[in-house]
Amino acid sequence: MFVGWEGIGVVSYLLINFWFTRIQANKASILALNMNRVGDMGLSIGFFALISLFGSLDYSIIYSIVPFMNDTAITIIALLLLSGALAKSSQIPLHSWLPGSMEGPKQLINRNLFY
């Protein structure tokens, strides 16, 4: 799952930066890549915290041990995993890269309409 998660960030960067000669497309793609890295970092730290706390990433093991764990640790891990999902899917408050992401496809549509 994590490899596919990383692939989404790379594909977003490549799509937005399709017109690499335009400065605005470069800025928008770098912003998207950086915001995806923020999400990847939150997801990575959440996975490492799950492994250190539970010793596994298997849902059945985690769900069977959760009632005996510290509520604060569980909340922190849940927020870290949520931050990864929020950044990757451009949800508020990590949505700043979404308006710029239309830079690549917008130019493709404009070029096809007027030529």
Side-chain angles (χ1 to χ4, degrees), residues 1-72:
M1 179 182 92
F2 191 73
V3 172
W5 194 265
E6 290 292 323
I8 291 171
V10 171
V11 168
S12 296
Y13 172 79
L14 293 173
L15 175 66
I16 297 167
N17 204 22
F18 181 77
W19 302 105
F20 60 89
T21 56
R22 302 193 69 239
I23 292 183
Q24 194 60 32
N26 285 324
K27 288 180 181 179
S29 63
I30 290 171
L31 179 64
L33 188 66
N34 287 337
M35 197 57 68
N36 279 314
R37 292 297 136 220
V38 168
D40 293 340
M41 184 60 72
L43 190 69
S44 298
I45 293 171
F47 282 158
F48 290 133
L50 281 174
I51 290 171
S52 69
L53 192 61
F54 297 104
S56 175
L57 289 176
D58 186 12
Y59 287 136
S60 62
I61 294 172
I62 292 172
Y63 289 151
S64 65
I65 300 174
V66 162
F68 308 107
M69 291 300 190
N70 184 359
D71 289 339
T72 305

Side-chain angles (χ1 to χ4, degrees), residues 35 38-39 83-84 86-98:
M35 197 57 68
V38 168
S83 72
L86 289 177
K88 194 61 80 165
S89 61
S90 70
Q91 300 294 318
I92 294 174
L94 301 172
H95 69 289
S96 63
W97 67 274
L98 189 60

